[in-house]
Amino acid sequence: MNHSNLPYDQGTYFILNKQNDRIYVGASGNVRTRANMHYAALARGNHHNAALQSDWMTYGAGAFEFGLLVENMYSLCVRDFEAFFVRLYQSDNPRYGYNIGFFDGRQPPSKTYAEQIKAIARAWQISNRRYSDEVIRRCIAHT
């Protein structure tokens, strides 16, 4: 997906390097605007993530894909989903991703917590991207 095709809604997104499969995971209240900010900074050569910037310069813009992981989640869950996907894709490990130092100063999600977030994601997908009472209750309970 191209960064300009992403929704303006809140959600959790990724930037994937298709050459080496390293991934950056982020979350925003406005996914398209945030993706455009990433793209512009990378194109200017001054992105805050040095490893991502270096690979962008090495492989070029065409080697990267911007995409959506979770759209329109209840606002209290956006950062929880970001942490969940960072852990899932191990993008805090330089071998697999660009979210280096993501968990510095904060506790990574436990396996139990990750299972709860997975349950929220499944409920969200089943509910056709509508907020069920159960999804909202779980989001509030686990933030």
Side-chain angles (χ1 to χ4, degrees), residues 52-116:
L52 180 58
Q53 183 66 64
S54 176
D55 280 357
W56 182 275
M57 301 303 286
T58 300
Y59 299 110
F64 290 84
E65 177 182 345
F66 289 73
L68 189 65
L69 293 165
V70 179
E71 177 186 3
N72 248 347
M73 276 308 303
Y74 193 64
S75 63
L76 295 176
C77 289
V78 172
R79 295 295 173 202
D80 289 332
F81 272 94
E82 179 183 31
F84 168 72
F85 284 111
V86 165
R87 176 59 74 200
L88 179 69
Y89 295 122
Q90 300 178 53
S91 64
D92 59 326
N93 179 334
R95 182 175 178 189
Y96 304 112
Y98 300 105
N99 293 97
I100 312 311
F102 184 85
F103 292 113
D104 289 355
R106 56 181 154 170
Q107 186 69 23
S110 67
K111 284 191 174 194
T112 302
Y113 184 75
E115 287 303 316
Q116 292 165 342

Side-chain angles (χ1 to χ4, degrees), residues 3 6 12 31-32 34 46 59 91 108-109 139:
H3 67 96
L6 292 169
T12 304
V31 172
R32 184 184 297 191
R34 185 66 183 123
N46 66 350
Y59 299 110
S91 64
C139 286

Side-chain angles (χ1 to χ4, degrees), residues 31-50:
V31 172
R32 184 184 297 191
T33 298
R34 185 66 183 123
N36 286 340
M37 291 169 63
H38 281 295
Y39 189 89
L42 289 163
R44 285 191 309 268
N46 66 350
H47 195 274
H48 69 275
N49 187 303

Side-chain angles (χ1 to χ4, degrees), residues 7-19:
Y8 287 107
D9 294 328
Q10 64 189 5
T12 304
Y13 62 90
F14 68 87
I15 303 170
L16 174 67
N17 181 334
K18 297 180 287 187
Q19 295 295 312

